[in-house]
Amino acid sequence: MKLEILQKIISSLESGALVVTASHRQNRFVRNLWDQHQLSAESTQHREDKIVRSWSDCNSLSFDEWLNQLFEYSSLGGLFSQQKHVPEILDKQQQQWLFRKIIRDQQAEFSDWSKVQQETLLNNIQQAWIAYSEWLLDIQDKTTSSCFFDTEETRLFRNVIIAFEAACKKNNWISQANLLNYLTSKLPSLMPFIGNKISFYGFVEFTPQQQRFINKLELQYKKDPDSSIQIIEFTLQSFNSNSDKLKTSTPESKRVEEKIYPCASVETEWVAAAKWSRQLLEKNNNNSINIAIIIPDLTNKQQMVFRIFQREFQPETQLSALRHIPKGFNFSAGENFHDIPLIQIMKHWLGIFSSGNIEHWGAVLSDSFCVGYSNEKWARAQLKHLVLSQKNEYLSIEKFLELVLSCNIIPLNQWLEITHQLAKVARTKPKTLLPSKWANWFMDFLKSIPWPLEKTQDSITFQIFKQWQQLIRSLSKMDAICGNITLTSFSSLLDEQLSQQRFQPETPKSSVHVLGSLEAIGISFDFIRITGCQADSFPGVAKPNPFLPLTLQRKLDMPNATSQRELRFVKMLLNGYRNLCGSLTYSYAVADGETLLLPSPLLMQADTCSFVEDSLPEAWMEVQQQVASNLIQWQDDCGLPLKNQQVRSGISILKDQAACPFRAYVRHRLHVTSQDKEDIGVSSIQRGNWVHNSLEMVWRRLGNHKTLREKTTEQLIKLVQQCVDEIILNRSGKLHQQPSPIIQYEIIRTNWLVLSWLEIDKSRSEFIAVELEKETEAEIGGLTFKVRADRVDTLVDENKIIIDYKTGKCKPASWNDDRIDEPQLPLYALIEERISAIAFAQLNREACKLTGYGDEAITDKGIENLENWAEQLELWKKNLELLAMEFISGLASVTPKKGACDYCDLLHVCRFNARIEKERDDGSENTDENIIQIASDHTSCEGALR
Ligand code: SF4
């Protein structure tokens, strides 16, 4: 069957027919086939006749190319000479822009939708529009027009289409989806540009729109006995034609070798497919065979699948962070152009002018493409830190220039020049321009800084630039549609255009092709492997388009409308694959999480096999050798001992030392800091400070338990309100930047927390709040720290209780640990006299409560009475001294306590996760527990430290 089909294509081409294929990929396949045929024909003829002959051109086009060519020929041939204006075809971007504008105008309520929701709406409406055109629906048709009032979605679609068609009519535009309708109406005048023999190849089915065109073409051909139309395979439905010229062949599938592989999960299916294809290739001497791996919905799984194949075919790429052109396999789904780092950085440069968001400043300061980066990268990193620590959401270019001029960071000469250039361009920035003019303006700016002259352009970077420049040029097409726009609108327009493009680097010819479901149709392969053949997805469930009337979709048997249609479609695809390949392999995941899955019943005839990886890729061996020869393992858990016992940081040293010695060393000895993350709205630190400060103010006014109890509820509410307002509204320096509703909410929240806490204080035994936010010095194990107690209450018996306000989590149980998580209060208890309890005051949404430890005389609820308080103090002293001595000795082992890494910002420095993964790979059991055990073992090195 395979040879028969290929022979039909060759015969068509030899007879002078134009072969029209359903896709560009199929057209490439036909052209390759023709080249091979010419080569073999040439060599045969050369042997027999000793004559060298020239090759004839391959007369094949994809369907889209053919239509556009017909449109161009017709305009050259004077078809439009009678018309005032030549119609213009809207390309994809122009059509999208027009739809977006109409949807916005139509439905003001959609303006509140998130960007993702709006994009989904736009995509669905565009898909509905294509189906509407291809299935020849008509909202004006009396018999069907009422269906478009069925639901809110169909009504919206109707309104959008009316506006879209009106705009097209007014401006003499033709959308790509309507081009075929237009050409059908002009077919008689087009006949001089259409040859008399046409073969269609690779169509799974003809849409009614295509069918109508071909029917009309056939009527024209009737006038010429030498003309013919041939359909080569793959038609799902027959024509409604009586002509014997239109013979469709819906071939029965042939029997090929079929196997099915169960895999543990979807991801292991892809891994197995990559390994299977690599092994197959090696067994067949690499390039002599053609393999297709079919992955349904490949576009959405692109990144993960690409990584898996690259790991298998190019293991050497795992050792470098650079982008690599795929080698050994060909990947049909490109990545989203918008997400490519180089494109992202250009967007950030534009963002400085259009919004000045702090995020853009941070990104351009880290731009390694920018001139002078290699010399100034550390200085720019410091400047970035400074910019982000301003805590402003936006920064104008003038303010930024002031900041650069006032900071003492050196060297920043080239960056200073860039900033001056930015300011100059910003001063002369026009208010509005046509999109193409904005594009030129922006490119001129990039050249002026200059950017990116420092970087060597490898092949991938070169291709990215090429595509970017094409996109910039194509923006001129938007001029007529958008008119003059602001830079902010231009930035959004560019964003939209970028998100529509995919980047597919040119790759060397390869034998393994990773494709989506439809892309393999009509192309001959030696082996095809179809993944995702679970019963619930092969065939898939029906997904009718919500913007088209369901009754119409079912009646017309439109794509995705019914499960019966999906079944027929998948069967047809399978037949297509069987007819053009030597061996067909399927795989399916046996489970998705906890759900068990079954293979598709369509594949009962396939033999079930299990995949065995019989060899590692040769390239892997080389990589392993390279890694082994480059890496020297060095276990070094100790830094330099501390010379003088002076430390800059406070009690956080002991806290970090307890959590992870490496963290303490890096933060407090090497003074490595991370950049603050910009919180949207009010940060959690700010919230905590407001609660602390409000409570301090309230207690300065109340003074003692007795006064608190004497206040009426109204008086207390008033007092708290005054204090909270004073703290949040008058003392915060940057409130004007916060939207008022957020602040109002924070005021309510703080009021509630403080009042709730005062209720707890009321219920306690009598006390005087003697010390509020008092800072004092504490010495332990040879280190001196500053410690601060939020509140110290003196009780009736003159003993004291120390209270620490906590708006987050608080776990007094951690004070029982050898490595104390929160050493502040135990340390304070050691230096102050007559401390009989330490406690956290928990103030958060979950609960407001007192929780801690004390001696047996304490009666406050929430304080656990310890039998031997003096012994407990001794134990804390010993444990804290040990931590201090560890720090002094320079101990810096990467031995975190359980949970210490959860919010630690040093993970990229210690690479602890890589160690865990390696130990897991090496087969260590309970890796986490082992590490934690090591951490607790430090306490047993007490003797050695002493
Ligand atoms: S991430 Fe974990 S191991 Fe690494 S420094 Fe932080 S706490 Fe220590």
Side-chain angles (χ1 to χ4, degrees):
M1 185 65 78
K2 180 174 166 181
L3 282 177
E4 206 180 299
I5 295 169
L6 302 185
Q7 194 51 52
K8 274 187 191 171
I9 299 172
I10 298 293
S11 307
S12 285
L13 288 168
E14 281 182 333
S15 72
L18 170 71
V19 174
V20 178
T21 62
S23 70
H24 297 294
R25 188 176 278 271
Q26 287 164 352
N27 188 33
R28 277 203 302 276
F29 166 71
V30 169
R31 286 176 171 274
N32 276 340
L33 188 70
W34 180 245
D35 287 349
Q36 282 163 18
H37 171 70
Q38 293 279 311
L39 261 176
S40 63
E42 188 187 53
S43 65
T44 313
Q45 208 154 5
H46 191 66
R47 270 202 312 274
E48 287 171 3
D49 310 338
K50 308 231 176 329
I51 296 169
V52 177
R53 59 184 198 121
S54 61
W55 283 20
S56 43
D57 228 10
C58 179
N59 193 17
S60 84
L61 287 171
S62 70
F63 194 70
D64 286 349
E65 284 170 341
W66 185 46
L67 297 191
N68 283 303
Q69 194 186 67
L70 284 179
F71 182 80
E72 273 174 36
Y73 282 163
S74 58
S75 57
L76 291 174
L79 186 64
F80 305 121
S81 57
Q82 311 299 319
Q83 292 180 235
K84 263 190 182 169
H85 302 290
V86 175
E88 192 183 329
I89 301 180
L90 286 182
D91 70 9
K92 207 173 153 197
Q93 283 87 15
Q94 291 169 318
Q95 178 178 302
Q96 178 160 313
W97 191 90
L98 190 56
F99 268 120
R100 184 175 273 118
K101 184 172 177 301
I102 291 170
I103 292 170
R104 258 186 227 141
D105 295 348
Q106 285 285 325
Q107 296 290 332
E109 70 245 45
F110 292 129
S111 58
D112 286 344
W113 285 27
S114 72
K115 210 171 171 188
V116 176
Q117 285 173 317
Q118 291 207 13
E119 285 307 298
T120 312
L121 175 71
L122 177 71
N123 287 339
N124 278 334
I125 287 190
Q126 286 203 106
Q127 277 166 15
W129 162 246
I130 293 170
Y132 172 90
S133 308
E134 289 181 342
W135 255 255
L136 301 174
L137 304 185
D138 187 357
I139 45 174
Q140 313 292 355
D141 185 321
K142 283 197 184 99
T143 56
T144 56
S145 59
S146 62
C147 303
F148 286 90
F149 291 95
D150 284 356
T151 64
E152 202 180 315
E153 284 84 1
T154 53
R155 273 199 300 277
L156 169 67
F157 178 75
R158 185 180 176 277
N159 292 345
V160 170
I161 293 310
I162 289 173
F164 181 79
E165 288 183 333
C168 288
K169 194 170 173 195
K170 183 175 162 209
N171 297 290
N172 207 13
W173 291 330
I174 304 171
S175 81
Q176 199 74 38
N178 261 341
L179 177 60
L180 191 53
N181 292 348
Y182 177 80
L183 294 175
T184 309
S185 68
K186 305 284 179 199
L187 196 58
S189 342
L190 285 170
M191 286 317 287
F193 311 109
I194 300 178
N196 62 355
K197 283 183 185 164
I198 292 187
S199 295
F200 291 96
Y201 175 70
F203 290 78
V204 179
E205 62 180 326
F206 287 108
T207 63
Q209 192 188 33
Q210 290 169 330
Q211 196 167 310
R212 186 176 67 174
F213 178 79
I214 296 172
N215 286 346
K216 284 209 170 184
L217 186 60
E218 183 220 358
L219 283 177
Q220 295 294 324
Y221 273 5
K222 272 192 176 163
K223 298 169 192 167
D224 177 4
D226 292 334
S227 62
S228 69
I229 296 179
Q230 190 190 10
I231 316 294
I232 309 174
E233 311 301 347
F234 302 121
T235 47
L236 184 63
Q237 57 195 19
S238 314
F239 289 104
N240 297 324
S241 165
N242 298 322
S243 166
D244 20 326
K245 281 186 186 174
L246 277 175
K247 286 240 169 71
T248 65
S249 47
T250 49
E252 279 304 307
S253 63
K254 60 168 181 167
R255 180 85 179 132
V256 292
E257 187 194 7
E258 294 188 32
K259 293 179 189 166
I260 184 160
Y261 290 97
C263 298
S265 66
V266 173
E267 197 182 322
T268 50
E269 246 195 296
W270 301 333
V271 174
K275 289 185 182 298
W276 171 83
S277 55
R278 197 255 311 152
Q279 281 181 199
L280 207 54
L281 213 55
E282 284 170 4
K283 277 183 196 150
N284 287 277
N285 293 332
N286 289 320
N287 296 320
S288 54
I289 52 167
N290 250 350
I291 304 167
I293 309 285
I294 295 174
I295 299 191
D297 197 17
L298 179 62
T299 313
N300 291 329
K301 297 158 185 163
Q302 186 260 343
Q303 283 190 354
M304 171 82 95
V305 178
F306 185 82
R307 270 203 302 276
I308 288 171
F309 274 80
Q310 197 159 48
R311 194 178 141 94
E312 192 62 27
F313 283 86
Q314 293 172 281
E316 69 279 8
T317 58
Q318 309 295 306
L319 297 179
S320 135
L322 293 176
R323 300 166 70 84
H324 295 267
I325 290 184
K327 210 168 72 194
F329 67 98
N330 172 294
F331 207 74
S332 80
E335 64 188 300
N336 201 329
F337 197 44
H338 191 269
D339 296 337
I340 291 174
L342 189 64
I343 301 301
Q344 287 275 321
I345 199 71
M346 282 197 260
K347 284 279 304 142
H348 284 301
W349 279 107
L350 185 62
I352 284 177
F353 295 103
S354 59
S355 79
N357 192 300
I358 206 87
E359 171 204 3
H360 300 310
W361 286 110
V364 297
L365 278 162
S366 309
D367 175 9
S368 62
F369 283 94
C370 185
V371 68
Y373 179 78
S374 46
N375 292 334
E376 297 180 353
K377 64 181 164 198
W378 295 115
R380 289 184 194 183
Q382 286 177 59
L383 181 60
K384 179 177 171 180
H385 187 67
L386 189 68
V387 168
L388 296 182
S389 60
Q390 301 291 304
K391 301 262 181 215
N392 291 328
E393 205 177 332
Y394 299 98
L395 195 60
S396 69
I397 294 177
E398 290 74 29
K399 285 261 178 264
F400 180 75
L401 184 57
E402 277 173 28
L403 193 71
V404 179
L405 291 171
S406 63
C407 75
N408 292 322
I409 302 168
I410 45 172
L412 269 179
N413 296 347
Q414 278 177 297
W415 185 259
L416 193 60
E417 275 177 37
I418 290 169
T419 316
H420 279 299
Q421 180 62 17
L422 277 169
K424 190 175 144 196
V425 174
R427 276 196 292 275
T428 56
K429 179 168 76 76
K431 280 214 166 83
T432 60
L433 280 178
L434 291 171
S436 62
K437 301 278 183 225
W438 275 126
N440 292 339
W441 175 87
F442 179 52
M443 290 308 282
D444 288 346
F445 159 72
L446 284 181
K447 276 184 211 150
S448 74
I449 49 177
W451 187 96
L453 296 181
E454 272 205 311
K455 207 83 181 168
T456 320
Q457 288 189 15
D458 55 42
S459 168
I460 291 225
T461 314
F462 175 76
Q463 291 183 50
I464 295 170
F465 271 125
K466 211 168 128 193
Q467 188 166 334
W468 163 263
Q469 274 158 354
Q470 276 168 359
L471 183 133
I472 287 290
R473 274 198 295 275
S474 74
L475 284 173
S476 62
K477 286 185 292 186
M478 304 305 291
D479 290 356
I481 295 197
C482 304
N484 279 330
I485 52 175
T486 62
L487 184 59
T488 312
S489 306
F490 172 73
S491 179
S492 310
L493 176 68
L494 187 62
D495 248 348
E496 288 157 12
Q497 305 286 313
L498 286 168
S499 60
Q500 291 304 310
Q501 297 224 349
R502 298 197 80 78
F503 175 63
Q504 174 92 51
E506 287 169 22
T507 52
K509 201 164 178 277
S510 43
S511 302
V512 177
H513 303 262
V514 186
L515 307 161
S517 303
L518 294 175
E519 288 165 316
I521 277 294
I523 300 173
S524 152
F525 290 100
D526 298 300
F527 299 89
I528 292 184
R529 181 172 176 127
I530 308 173
T531 63
C533 298
Q534 292 84 247
D536 62 347
S537 55
F538 196 78
V541 290
K543 280 189 213 140
N545 192 310
F547 292 92
L548 294 175
L550 188 58
T551 43
L552 274 186
Q553 292 188 65
R554 286 189 178 147
K555 189 173 154 203
L556 298 174
D557 200 22
M558 289 176 72
N560 305 315
T562 60
S563 43
Q564 290 86 341
R565 191 187 200 282
E566 291 302 291
L567 177 63
R568 277 205 326 278
F569 189 79
V570 166
K571 280 185 178 173
M572 197 63 210
L573 276 184
L574 275 177
N575 281 350
Y577 296 147
R578 283 176 184 134
N579 285 330
L580 274 174
C581 80
S583 164
L584 198 48
T585 301
Y586 313 99
S587 68
Y588 71 99
V590 295
D592 180 9
E594 300 295 303
T595 317
L596 292 180
L597 303 171
L598 292 170
S600 168
L602 289 177
L603 311 176
M604 288 303 183
Q605 56 181 329
D607 303 326
T608 305
C609 305
S610 55
F611 174 70
V612 182
E613 188 182 6
D614 55 11
S615 66
L616 280 173
E618 280 166 25
W620 258 123
M621 308 297 176
E622 287 167 28
V623 171
Q624 277 176 350
Q625 279 168 9
Q626 202 184 331
V627 171
S629 62
N630 285 351
L631 287 185
I632 298 170
Q633 299 243 344
W634 180 262
Q635 182 81 12
D636 184 9
D637 279 351
C638 237
L640 292 175
L642 193 66
K643 274 197 185 142
N644 55 27
Q645 264 65 341
Q646 292 298 313
V647 283
R648 275 195 238 157
S649 324
I651 192 76
S652 58
I653 289 178
L654 291 186
K655 206 170 159 177
D656 284 334
Q657 188 72 26
C660 170
F662 182 78
R663 180 156 100 189
Y665 193 84
V666 171
R667 278 193 184 157
H668 307 292
R669 296 289 305 280
L670 304 182
H671 305 294
V672 171
T673 55
S674 60
Q675 277 166 359
D676 292 344
K677 286 194 185 107
E678 187 66 11
D679 278 315
I680 295 174
V682 179
S683 71
S684 48
I685 296 177
Q686 177 73 289
R687 274 199 208 108
N689 287 344
W690 282 341
V691 173
H692 271 72
N693 297 344
S694 301
L695 273 165
E696 183 192 348
M697 190 178 276
V698 167
W699 272 108
R700 283 200 189 285
R701 295 187 187 181
L702 288 172
N704 56 51
H705 182 254
K706 187 165 171 275
T707 319
L708 170 67
R709 288 186 71 100
E710 283 167 3
K711 293 267 180 208
T712 63
T713 309
E714 290 71 30
Q715 284 171 328
L716 266 186
I717 291 174
K718 199 173 164 198
L719 171 70
V720 171
Q721 217 160 28
Q722 280 170 354
C723 294
V724 172
D725 283 356
E726 169 69 19
I727 294 296
I728 298 186
L729 293 177
N730 296 345
R731 291 205 195 164
S732 300
K734 53 194 215 70
L735 283 175
H736 57 280
Q737 292 154 11
Q738 301 296 347
S740 163
I742 295 180
I743 297 303
Q744 286 306 324
Y745 171 77
E746 290 302 332
I747 290 174
I748 294 168
R749 182 180 167 280
T750 312
N751 265 299
W752 179 79
L753 285 174
V754 174
L755 280 167
S756 305
W757 174 252
L758 289 179
E759 286 305 311
I760 309 271
D761 268 342
K762 253 189 204 176
S763 68
R764 292 175 50 207
S765 26
E766 223 170 293
F767 63 85
I768 301 168
V770 281
E771 282 161 9
L772 298 166
E773 303 288 336
K774 188 191 166 195
E775 197 175 80
T776 184
E777 278 203 345
E779 194 274 333
I780 191 94
L783 286 179
T784 308
F785 304 99
K786 283 202 165 66
V787 284
R788 178 195 290 265
D790 289 340
R791 206 170 104 197
V792 180
D793 293 347
T794 305
L795 308 176
V796 181
D797 59 3
E798 299 288 307
N799 282 337
K800 294 175 193 165
I801 174 166
I802 313 169
I803 294 175
D804 193 25
Y805 300 131
K806 284 268 175 203
T807 47
K809 284 183 190 161
C810 40
K811 293 182 286 179
S814 72
W815 290 328
N816 297 331
D817 202 342
D818 293 346
R819 306 181 75 79
I820 301 172
D821 286 339
E822 297 283 352
Q824 171 109 341
L825 295 193
L827 183 57
Y828 207 100
L830 295 174
I831 55 162
E832 192 86 0
E833 286 186 354
R834 301 199 69 161
I835 300 293
S836 59
I838 59 173
F840 288 127
Q842 180 179 333
L843 294 112
N844 56 33
R845 217 169 32 144
E846 267 174 37
C848 283
K849 61 181 179 186
L850 189 72
T851 168
Y853 296 117
D855 66 16
E856 287 181 310
I858 298 289
T859 54
D860 288 342
K861 193 178 162 201
I863 305 280
E864 191 181 324
N865 302 107
L866 300 179
E867 272 180 29
N868 199 330
W869 178 243
E871 255 180 37
Q872 182 62 59
L873 290 176
E874 263 313 301
L875 189 62
W876 281 336
K877 185 166 180 259
K878 187 182 126 205
N879 288 338
L880 292 176
E881 276 175 349
L882 190 60
L883 285 177
M885 283 189 290
E886 272 186 18
F887 182 75
I888 292 169
S889 73
L891 182 72
S893 57
V894 182
T895 46
K897 277 182 84 171
K898 195 166 189 173
C901 307
D902 291 354
Y903 299 100
C904 181
D905 47 8
L906 293 174
L907 200 57
H908 52 291
V909 183
C910 67
R911 306 192 60 212
F912 182 62
N913 49 352
R915 178 170 154 190
I916 294 269
E917 265 170 35
K918 185 170 180 306
E919 294 196 6
R920 276 207 187 103
D921 288 350
D922 293 348
S924 299
E925 281 178 12
N926 303 325
T927 304
D928 294 342
E929 284 73 10
N930 290 347
I931 304 282
I932 291 150
Q933 183 57 44
I934 299 170
S936 58
D937 286 350
H938 284 306
T939 50
S940 62
C941 62
E942 186 181 351
L945 287 168
R946 281 184 197 281

